């Protein structure tokens, strides 16, 4: 698994505001989108393209277009939904599938409660969006699901990750074609399996408590 941790002052600046417990919900939402767009630049570095011919007002030249089947973007509900707009702004023709997952507060094990994906992902490049890679359980299950459907190339994009989460993903994906793009690699997990220093509960900060 290839791991990329962003080291860009603009990303770190936006992350610092995002982490602040005083940052209000509308600003938090906007920052998640902006960070996604910045991370998408690295995440799509190996997006598949096909040569094409372009006629400019001056001459005929060569260019590229996204290959078919088009990439599939998979936000993990709820919090991953906050990243979707930031990604589709950059890749507007990509298709979007959804996975709903929730982590048990006691055991920290993920459960899948919703799934809306193409039946076959054969030959598809998939981009999974989730702001938080904590224990790694949710993302590992999501990636496993995509491979079971036939995906052969998965890029996961998270705003924050932990060494524990990266290790869990590494164990799960083995030698398969997976890339992980992180806005930052934090210190680790606390006893509630929250990322430290982290930013709290991304889903709650985006959408409020769901109880
Ligand atoms: C959070 C987060 C990830 C997951 C990370 O979602 O958005 O999906 O937990 O934890 P893990 O790496 O230990 O699996 P949560 O279950 O709180 O659901 P939500 O997005 O609906 O708030």
């Amino acid at each position: 698994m290839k791991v990329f941790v962003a080291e860009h002052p603009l990303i770190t600046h936006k992350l610092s505001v995002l982490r602040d417990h005083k940052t209000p919900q509308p600003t938090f939402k906007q920052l998640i989108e902006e960070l996604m767009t910045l991370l998408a630049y690295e995440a799509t570095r190996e997006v598949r393209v096909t040569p094409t011919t372009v006629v400019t007002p001056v001459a005929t030249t060569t260019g590229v277009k996204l290959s078919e089947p088009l990439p599939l973007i998979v936000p993990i509900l709820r919090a991953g939904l906050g990243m979707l707009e930031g990604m589709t702004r950059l890749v507007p023709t990509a298709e979007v599938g959804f996975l709903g997952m929730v982590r048990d507060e006691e055991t920290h094990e993920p459960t899948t409660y919703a799934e809306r994906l193409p039946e076959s992902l054969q030959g598809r490049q998939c981009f999974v969006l989730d702001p938080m890679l904590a224990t790694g359980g949710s993302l590992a299950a999501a990636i496993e699901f995509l491979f079971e459907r036939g995906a052969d190339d998965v890029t996961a994009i998270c705003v924050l990750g932990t060494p524990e989460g990266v290790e869990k993903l590494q164990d799960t994906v083995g030698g398969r074609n997976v890339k992980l793009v992180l806005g930052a690699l934090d210190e680790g997990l606390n006893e509630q399996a929250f990322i430290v220093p982290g930013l709290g509960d991304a889903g709650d900060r985006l959408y409020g408590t769901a109880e």
Side-chain angles (χ1 to χ4, degrees), residues 144-198:
E144 198 62 49
F145 196 95
L146 297 175
F147 277 115
E148 276 168 20
R149 283 281 169 98
D152 60 356
D153 182 327
V154 177
T155 298
I157 306 153
C158 303
V159 173
L160 293 183
T162 61
E164 296 91 326
V166 173
E167 198 180 323
K168 163 91 181 168
L169 277 194
Q170 236 142 12
D171 291 347
T172 306
V173 305
R176 289 179 291 194
N177 198 6
V178 175
K179 180 176 175 183
L180 172 66
V181 175
L182 295 174
L185 185 62
D186 274 13
E187 285 164 28
L189 298 168
N190 67 11
E191 50 291 348
Q192 284 94 40
F194 265 69
I195 300 178
V196 180

CSV table of all heavy atoms in Angstrom, one decimal, residues 144-198:
chain,number,residue,atom,x,y,z
A,144,GLU,N,-12.4,-3.7,1.5
A,144,GLU,CA,-12.6,-5.1,1.2
A,144,GLU,C,-13.9,-5.3,0.4
A,144,GLU,O,-13.9,-6.1,-0.6
A,144,GLU,CB,-12.8,-5.8,2.6
A,144,GLU,CG,-12.6,-7.3,2.6
A,144,GLU,CD,-11.2,-7.8,2.2
A,144,GLU,OE1,-10.2,-7.2,2.7
A,144,GLU,OE2,-11.2,-8.6,1.3
A,145,PHE,N,-14.9,-4.6,0.7
A,145,PHE,CA,-16.2,-4.6,0.0
A,145,PHE,C,-16.0,-4.3,-1.5
A,145,PHE,O,-16.5,-5.0,-2.4
A,145,PHE,CB,-17.1,-3.6,0.6
A,145,PHE,CG,-18.5,-3.7,0.3
A,145,PHE,CD1,-19.4,-4.5,1.1
A,145,PHE,CD2,-19.1,-3.2,-0.9
A,145,PHE,CE1,-20.7,-4.6,0.8
A,145,PHE,CE2,-20.4,-3.3,-1.2
A,145,PHE,CZ,-21.2,-4.0,-0.4
A,146,LEU,N,-15.2,-3.2,-1.8
A,146,LEU,CA,-14.9,-2.8,-3.2
A,146,LEU,C,-14.1,-3.9,-3.9
A,146,LEU,O,-14.4,-4.2,-5.1
A,146,LEU,CB,-14.2,-1.5,-3.2
A,146,LEU,CG,-15.0,-0.3,-2.6
A,146,LEU,CD1,-14.1,0.9,-2.6
A,146,LEU,CD2,-16.3,0.0,-3.4
A,147,PHE,N,-13.2,-4.5,-3.3
A,147,PHE,CA,-12.4,-5.6,-4.0
A,147,PHE,C,-13.3,-6.8,-4.2
A,147,PHE,O,-13.2,-7.4,-5.3
A,147,PHE,CB,-11.2,-6.0,-3.1
A,147,PHE,CG,-10.0,-5.1,-3.4
A,147,PHE,CD1,-9.5,-4.3,-2.4
A,147,PHE,CD2,-9.4,-5.0,-4.6
A,147,PHE,CE1,-8.4,-3.4,-2.6
A,147,PHE,CE2,-8.3,-4.1,-4.8
A,147,PHE,CZ,-7.8,-3.3,-3.8
A,148,GLU,N,-14.2,-7.1,-3.3
A,148,GLU,CA,-15.1,-8.2,-3.5
A,148,GLU,C,-16.0,-8.0,-4.7
A,148,GLU,O,-16.4,-8.9,-5.4
A,148,GLU,CB,-16.0,-8.4,-2.2
A,148,GLU,CG,-15.3,-9.3,-1.2
A,148,GLU,CD,-16.1,-9.2,0.1
A,148,GLU,OE1,-17.3,-8.9,0.1
A,148,GLU,OE2,-15.4,-9.5,1.2
A,149,ARG,N,-16.3,-6.8,-5.0
A,149,ARG,CA,-17.2,-6.4,-6.1
A,149,ARG,C,-16.3,-6.3,-7.4
A,149,ARG,O,-16.9,-6.0,-8.5
A,149,ARG,CB,-17.8,-5.0,-5.9
A,149,ARG,CG,-19.0,-5.0,-5.0
A,149,ARG,CD,-20.2,-5.5,-5.8
A,149,ARG,NE,-21.3,-5.8,-4.8
A,149,ARG,CZ,-22.3,-4.9,-4.6
A,149,ARG,NH1,-22.3,-3.8,-5.2
A,149,ARG,NH2,-23.2,-5.2,-3.7
A,150,GLY,N,-15.0,-6.5,-7.4
A,150,GLY,CA,-14.2,-6.6,-8.6
A,150,GLY,C,-13.3,-5.4,-8.8
A,150,GLY,O,-12.5,-5.4,-9.8
A,151,ALA,N,-13.3,-4.4,-7.9
A,151,ALA,CA,-12.4,-3.2,-8.1
A,151,ALA,C,-10.9,-3.8,-8.0
A,151,ALA,O,-10.6,-4.7,-7.3
A,151,ALA,CB,-12.6,-2.2,-7.0
A,152,ASP,N,-10.1,-3.1,-8.8
A,152,ASP,CA,-8.7,-3.6,-8.8
A,152,ASP,C,-7.7,-2.4,-8.4
A,152,ASP,O,-6.5,-2.6,-8.4
A,152,ASP,CB,-8.2,-4.2,-10.1
A,152,ASP,CG,-8.4,-3.2,-11.2
A,152,ASP,OD1,-8.8,-2.1,-11.0
A,152,ASP,OD2,-8.0,-3.6,-12.4
A,153,ASP,N,-8.3,-1.3,-8.1
A,153,ASP,CA,-7.5,-0.1,-7.8
A,153,ASP,C,-8.3,0.8,-6.9
A,153,ASP,O,-9.3,1.4,-7.4
A,153,ASP,CB,-7.1,0.6,-9.2
A,153,ASP,CG,-6.2,1.8,-9.1
A,153,ASP,OD1,-6.3,2.5,-8.0
A,153,ASP,OD2,-5.4,2.0,-10.0
A,154,VAL,N,-7.8,1.0,-5.7
A,154,VAL,CA,-8.6,1.8,-4.7
A,154,VAL,C,-7.7,2.8,-4.1
A,154,VAL,O,-6.6,2.5,-3.6
A,154,VAL,CB,-9.2,0.9,-3.6
A,154,VAL,CG1,-9.9,1.8,-2.6
A,154,VAL,CG2,-10.2,-0.1,-4.2
A,155,THR,N,-8.2,4.1,-4.1
A,155,THR,CA,-7.5,5.2,-3.4
A,155,THR,C,-8.4,5.7,-2.3
A,155,THR,O,-9.5,6.0,-2.6
A,155,THR,CB,-7.1,6.3,-4.4
A,155,THR,OG1,-6.3,5.8,-5.4
A,155,THR,CG2,-6.4,7.5,-3.7
A,156,ALA,N,-7.8,5.6,-1.1
A,156,ALA,CA,-8.6,6.1,0.1
A,156,ALA,C,-8.1,7.5,0.4
A,156,ALA,O,-6.9,7.7,0.5
A,156,ALA,CB,-8.5,5.2,1.2
A,157,ILE,N,-9.0,8.5,0.7
A,157,ILE,CA,-8.6,9.8,1.0
A,157,ILE,C,-9.2,10.2,2.4
A,157,ILE,O,-10.4,10.1,2.6
A,157,ILE,CB,-9.1,10.8,-0.1
A,157,ILE,CG1,-8.6,10.3,-1.4
A,157,ILE,CG2,-8.6,12.2,0.2
A,157,ILE,CD1,-9.5,10.8,-2.6
A,158,CYS,N,-8.3,10.5,3.3
A,158,CYS,CA,-8.8,10.8,4.7
A,158,CYS,C,-8.1,12.2,5.1
A,158,CYS,O,-7.0,12.4,4.8
A,158,CYS,CB,-8.4,9.8,5.7
A,158,CYS,SG,-9.0,8.1,5.3
A,159,VAL,N,-8.9,13.0,5.8
A,159,VAL,CA,-8.3,14.2,6.3
A,159,VAL,C,-7.3,13.9,7.4
A,159,VAL,O,-6.2,14.5,7.4
A,159,VAL,CB,-9.4,15.1,6.8
A,159,VAL,CG1,-8.9,16.4,7.4
A,159,VAL,CG2,-10.4,15.5,5.6
A,160,LEU,N,-7.6,13.0,8.3
A,160,LEU,CA,-6.7,12.7,9.4
A,160,LEU,C,-6.6,11.2,9.5
A,160,LEU,O,-7.6,10.4,9.3
A,160,LEU,CB,-7.2,13.2,10.7
A,160,LEU,CG,-7.3,14.7,11.0
A,160,LEU,CD1,-7.7,14.9,12.4
A,160,LEU,CD2,-5.9,15.3,10.8
A,161,GLY,N,-5.4,10.7,9.9
A,161,GLY,CA,-5.2,9.3,10.1
A,161,GLY,C,-4.3,9.0,11.3
A,161,GLY,O,-3.7,10.0,11.9
A,162,THR,N,-4.2,7.8,11.7
A,162,THR,CA,-3.4,7.4,12.9
A,162,THR,C,-2.4,6.3,12.4
A,162,THR,O,-2.7,5.5,11.5
A,162,THR,CB,-4.2,6.8,14.0
A,162,THR,OG1,-4.9,5.6,13.6
A,162,THR,CG2,-5.2,7.8,14.6
A,163,PRO,N,-1.3,6.1,13.1
A,163,PRO,CA,-0.4,5.0,12.8
A,163,PRO,C,-1.1,3.7,12.9
A,163,PRO,O,-0.9,2.7,12.1
A,163,PRO,CB,0.7,5.1,13.8
A,163,PRO,CG,0.7,6.6,14.2
A,163,PRO,CD,-0.7,7.0,14.2
A,164,GLU,N,-2.0,3.5,14.0
A,164,GLU,CA,-2.8,2.3,14.2
A,164,GLU,C,-3.7,2.0,12.9
A,164,GLU,O,-3.8,0.9,12.5
A,164,GLU,CB,-3.7,2.4,15.4
A,164,GLU,CG,-3.0,2.6,16.7
A,164,GLU,CD,-2.7,4.0,17.1
A,164,GLU,OE1,-2.5,4.9,16.2
A,164,GLU,OE2,-2.7,4.3,18.3
A,165,GLY,N,-4.3,3.0,12.4
A,165,GLY,CA,-5.2,2.9,11.3
A,165,GLY,C,-4.5,2.5,10.0
A,165,GLY,O,-4.9,1.6,9.3
A,166,VAL,N,-3.3,3.1,9.8
A,166,VAL,CA,-2.5,2.8,8.6
A,166,VAL,C,-2.1,1.4,8.7
A,166,VAL,O,-2.1,0.6,7.7
A,166,VAL,CB,-1.3,3.8,8.6
A,166,VAL,CG1,-0.4,3.4,7.4
A,166,VAL,CG2,-1.8,5.2,8.4
A,167,GLU,N,-1.7,0.9,9.9
A,167,GLU,CA,-1.2,-0.5,10.1
A,167,GLU,C,-2.3,-1.5,9.8
A,167,GLU,O,-2.1,-2.5,9.1
A,167,GLU,CB,-0.7,-0.7,11.5
A,167,GLU,CG,0.2,-1.9,11.6
A,167,GLU,CD,0.8,-2.0,13.0
A,167,GLU,OE1,1.0,-1.0,13.7
A,167,GLU,OE2,0.8,-3.2,13.5
A,168,LYS,N,-3.5,-1.1,10.3
A,168,LYS,CA,-4.7,-2.0,10.1
A,168,LYS,C,-5.0,-2.1,8.6
A,168,LYS,O,-5.2,-3.2,8.1
A,168,LYS,CB,-5.9,-1.4,10.8
A,168,LYS,CG,-7.2,-2.0,10.4
A,168,LYS,CD,-7.6,-3.1,11.3
A,168,LYS,CE,-9.0,-3.7,10.8
A,168,LYS,NZ,-9.3,-4.9,11.4
A,169,LEU,N,-4.9,-1.0,7.9
A,169,LEU,CA,-5.2,-1.0,6.5
A,169,LEU,C,-4.1,-1.8,5.7
A,169,LEU,O,-4.4,-2.6,4.8
A,169,LEU,CB,-5.2,0.4,5.9
A,169,LEU,CG,-6.4,1.2,6.0
A,169,LEU,CD1,-6.3,2.4,5.1
A,169,LEU,CD2,-7.7,0.4,5.6
A,170,GLN,N,-2.9,-1.6,6.1
A,170,GLN,CA,-1.8,-2.3,5.5
A,170,GLN,C,-2.0,-3.9,5.6
A,170,GLN,O,-1.8,-4.6,4.7
A,170,GLN,CB,-0.4,-1.9,6.1
A,170,GLN,CG,0.5,-1.4,5.1
A,170,GLN,CD,1.4,-0.2,5.6
A,170,GLN,OE1,1.4,0.0,6.8
A,170,GLN,NE2,2.0,0.4,4.7
A,171,ASP,N,-2.4,-4.3,6.8
A,171,ASP,CA,-2.6,-5.7,7.1
A,171,ASP,C,-3.8,-6.2,6.2
A,171,ASP,O,-3.7,-7.4,5.7
A,171,ASP,CB,-2.9,-6.0,8.6
A,171,ASP,CG,-1.7,-5.7,9.4
A,171,ASP,OD1,-0.6,-5.6,8.9
A,171,ASP,OD2,-1.9,-5.7,10.7
A,172,THR,N,-4.8,-5.4,6.1
A,172,THR,CA,-6.0,-5.8,5.3
A,172,THR,C,-5.8,-5.9,3.8
A,172,THR,O,-6.2,-6.9,3.2
A,172,THR,CB,-7.2,-4.9,5.6
A,172,THR,OG1,-7.3,-4.7,7.0
A,172,THR,CG2,-8.5,-5.3,4.9
A,173,VAL,N,-5.1,-4.9,3.3
A,173,VAL,CA,-5.0,-4.9,1.8
A,173,VAL,C,-3.9,-5.8,1.3
A,173,VAL,O,-3.9,-6.1,0.1
A,173,VAL,CB,-4.9,-3.4,1.3
A,173,VAL,CG1,-6.0,-2.6,1.8
A,173,VAL,CG2,-3.5,-2.8,1.6
A,174,GLY,N,-2.9,-6.1,2.1
A,174,GLY,CA,-1.8,-7.0,1.6
A,174,GLY,C,-1.1,-6.3,0.4
A,174,GLY,O,-0.8,-5.2,0.4
A,175,GLY,N,-1.0,-7.1,-0.6
A,175,GLY,CA,-0.3,-6.6,-1.8
A,175,GLY,C,-1.2,-6.0,-2.8
A,175,GLY,O,-0.7,-5.7,-4.0
A,176,ARG,N,-2.5,-5.8,-2.5
A,176,ARG,CA,-3.4,-5.3,-3.5
A,176,ARG,C,-3.1,-3.8,-3.8
A,176,ARG,O,-2.4,-3.1,-3.0
A,176,ARG,CB,-4.8,-5.5,-3.1
A,176,ARG,CG,-5.2,-7.0,-3.2
A,176,ARG,CD,-6.6,-7.3,-2.7
A,176,ARG,NE,-6.7,-7.1,-1.3
A,176,ARG,CZ,-7.8,-7.5,-0.7
A,176,ARG,NH1,-8.8,-8.1,-1.3
A,176,ARG,NH2,-7.9,-7.3,0.6
A,177,ASN,N,-3.7,-3.3,-4.9
A,177,ASN,CA,-3.4,-2.0,-5.4
A,177,ASN,C,-4.2,-0.9,-4.7
A,177,ASN,O,-5.3,-0.5,-5.1
A,177,ASN,CB,-3.7,-2.0,-6.9
A,177,ASN,CG,-3.0,-0.8,-7.6
A,177,ASN,OD1,-2.3,-0.1,-7.0
A,177,ASN,ND2,-3.4,-0.7,-8.9
A,178,VAL,N,-3.6,-0.5,-3.5
A,178,VAL,CA,-4.3,0.5,-2.7
A,178,VAL,C,-3.3,1.7,-2.4
A,178,VAL,O,-2.2,1.5,-2.1
A,178,VAL,CB,-4.8,-0.1,-1.4
A,178,VAL,CG1,-5.4,1.0,-0.5
A,178,VAL,CG2,-5.8,-1.2,-1.7
A,179,LYS,N,-3.9,2.9,-2.5
A,179,LYS,CA,-3.1,4.1,-2.2
A,179,LYS,C,-3.9,4.8,-1.1
A,179,LYS,O,-5.2,4.9,-1.1
A,179,LYS,CB,-3.0,5.0,-3.4
A,179,LYS,CG,-2.2,6.3,-3.2
A,179,LYS,CD,-2.1,7.0,-4.5
A,179,LYS,CE,-1.4,8.3,-4.3
A,179,LYS,NZ,-1.3,9.1,-5.6
A,180,LEU,N,-3.2,5.3,-0.1
A,180,LEU,CA,-3.9,6.1,1.0
A,180,LEU,C,-3.3,7.5,1.0
A,180,LEU,O,-2.1,7.7,1.0
A,180,LEU,CB,-3.6,5.4,2.4
A,180,LEU,CG,-4.0,6.2,3.6
A,180,LEU,CD1,-5.5,6.3,3.7
A,180,LEU,CD2,-3.5,5.5,4.9
A,181,VAL,N,-4.2,8.5,0.9
A,181,VAL,CA,-3.8,9.9,0.9
A,181,VAL,C,-4.3,10.6,2.2
A,181,VAL,O,-5.5,10.5,2.4
A,181,VAL,CB,-4.3,10.6,-0.3
A,181,VAL,CG1,-4.0,12.1,-0.3
A,181,VAL,CG2,-3.7,10.0,-1.6
A,182,LEU,N,-3.4,11.1,3.0
A,182,LEU,CA,-3.8,11.7,4.3
A,182,LEU,C,-3.5,13.2,4.3
A,182,LEU,O,-2.4,13.6,3.9
A,182,LEU,CB,-3.1,11.0,5.4
A,182,LEU,CG,-3.3,9.6,5.7
A,182,LEU,CD1,-2.4,9.1,6.8
A,182,LEU,CD2,-4.8,9.3,6.2
A,183,GLY,N,-4.4,14.0,5.0
A,183,GLY,CA,-4.0,15.4,5.2
A,183,GLY,C,-3.0,15.5,6.3
A,183,GLY,O,-2.1,16.4,6.2
A,184,ALA,N,-3.0,14.6,7.3
A,184,ALA,CA,-2.1,14.6,8.4
A,184,ALA,C,-2.1,13.2,9.0
A,184,ALA,O,-3.2,12.6,9.1
A,184,ALA,CB,-2.3,15.7,9.4
A,185,LEU,N,-0.9,12.8,9.6
A,185,LEU,CA,-0.9,11.6,10.4
A,185,LEU,C,-0.7,12.0,11.8
A,185,LEU,O,0.3,12.6,12.2
A,185,LEU,CB,0.3,10.8,9.9
A,185,LEU,CG,0.5,9.4,10.6
A,185,LEU,CD1,-0.7,8.5,10.3
A,185,LEU,CD2,1.8,8.8,10.1
A,186,ASP,N,-1.8,11.8,12.6
A,186,ASP,CA,-1.8,12.2,14.0
A,186,ASP,C,-1.1,11.3,14.9
A,186,ASP,O,-0.6,10.2,14.5
A,186,ASP,CB,-3.2,12.5,14.5
A,186,ASP,CG,-3.7,13.9,14.1
A,186,ASP,OD1,-3.1,14.5,13.3
A,186,ASP,OD2,-4.8,14.3,14.6
A,187,GLU,N,-1.1,11.6,16.2
A,187,GLU,CA,-0.3,10.8,17.2
A,187,GLU,C,-0.8,9.4,17.4
A,187,GLU,O,-0.1,8.4,17.5
A,187,GLU,CB,-0.3,11.5,18.6
A,187,GLU,CG,0.6,12.7,18.7
A,187,GLU,CD,0.2,13.6,19.9
A,187,GLU,OE1,-0.3,13.0,20.9
A,187,GLU,OE2,0.5,14.8,19.7
A,188,GLY,N,-2.1,9.3,17.5
A,188,GLY,CA,-2.7,7.9,17.8
A,188,GLY,C,-4.1,8.0,18.3
A,188,GLY,O,-4.8,9.0,18.0
A,189,LEU,N,-4.5,7.0,19.0
A,189,LEU,CA,-5.9,6.9,19.5
A,189,LEU,C,-6.0,7.1,21.0
A,189,LEU,O,-5.1,6.7,21.7
A,189,LEU,CB,-6.5,5.5,19.2
A,189,LEU,CG,-6.6,5.2,17.7
A,189,LEU,CD1,-6.8,3.7,17.5
A,189,LEU,CD2,-7.6,6.0,17.0
A,190,ASN,N,-7.1,7.6,21.5
A,190,ASN,CA,-7.3,7.6,23.0
A,190,ASN,C,-8.1,6.4,23.4
A,190,ASN,O,-8.4,5.5,22.5
A,190,ASN,CB,-7.9,8.9,23.5
A,190,ASN,CG,-9.4,9.1,23.0
A,190,ASN,OD1,-10.0,8.2,22.5
A,190,ASN,ND2,-9.9,10.3,23.2
A,191,GLU,N,-8.5,6.3,24.7
A,191,GLU,CA,-9.2,5.1,25.1
A,191,GLU,C,-10.6,4.9,24.5
A,191,GLU,O,-11.1,3.8,24.4
A,191,GLU,CB,-9.3,4.9,26.6
A,191,GLU,CG,-9.8,6.1,27.5
A,191,GLU,CD,-8.8,7.3,27.5
A,191,GLU,OE1,-7.6,7.2,27.0
A,191,GLU,OE2,-9.3,8.4,27.9
A,192,GLN,N,-11.2,6.0,23.9
A,192,GLN,CA,-12.5,5.8,23.2
A,192,GLN,C,-12.2,5.6,21.7
A,192,GLN,O,-13.2,5.7,20.9
A,192,GLN,CB,-13.3,7.1,23.4
A,192,GLN,CG,-14.0,7.2,24.7
A,192,GLN,CD,-13.2,8.1,25.7
A,192,GLN,OE1,-12.6,9.1,25.3
A,192,GLN,NE2,-13.2,7.7,26.9
A,193,ALA,N,-11.0,5.4,21.3
A,193,ALA,CA,-10.6,5.2,19.9
A,193,ALA,C,-10.9,6.4,19.1
A,193,ALA,O,-11.2,6.4,17.9
A,193,ALA,CB,-11.2,4.0,19.3
A,194,PHE,N,-10.8,7.6,19.7
A,194,PHE,CA,-10.8,8.9,19.0
A,194,PHE,C,-9.4,9.3,18.6
A,194,PHE,O,-8.5,9.0,19.4
A,194,PHE,CB,-11.4,10.0,19.9
A,194,PHE,CG,-12.9,10.2,19.7
A,194,PHE,CD1,-13.8,9.2,20.1
A,194,PHE,CD2,-13.4,11.3,19.1
A,194,PHE,CE1,-15.2,9.3,20.0
A,194,PHE,CE2,-14.8,11.5,18.9
A,194,PHE,CZ,-15.7,10.5,19.4
A,195,ILE,N,-9.3,9.9,17.5
A,195,ILE,CA,-8.0,10.4,17.0
A,195,ILE,C,-7.5,11.5,17.9
A,195,ILE,O,-8.2,12.4,18.2
A,195,ILE,CB,-8.0,10.9,15.5
A,195,ILE,CG1,-8.5,9.7,14.6
A,195,ILE,CG2,-6.6,11.4,15.1
A,195,ILE,CD1,-8.6,10.1,13.1
A,196,VAL,N,-6.2,11.4,18.3
A,196,VAL,CA,-5.5,12.4,19.2
A,196,VAL,C,-4.4,13.1,18.4
A,196,VAL,O,-3.5,12.3,17.8
A,196,VAL,CB,-5.0,11.8,20.5
A,196,VAL,CG1,-4.3,12.9,21.3
A,196,VAL,CG2,-6.1,11.1,21.3
A,197,PRO,N,-4.2,14.4,18.2
A,197,PRO,CA,-5.2,15.4,18.8
A,197,PRO,C,-6.5,15.5,18.0
A,197,PRO,O,-7.5,15.9,18.6
A,197,PRO,CB,-4.4,16.7,18.7
A,197,PRO,CG,-3.4,16.5,17.6
A,197,PRO,CD,-3.1,15.0,17.6
A,198,GLY,N,-6.5,15.1,16.7
A,198,GLY,CA,-7.7,14.9,16.0
A,198,GLY,C,-8.6,16.2,15.8
A,198,GLY,O,-8.0,17.3,15.9
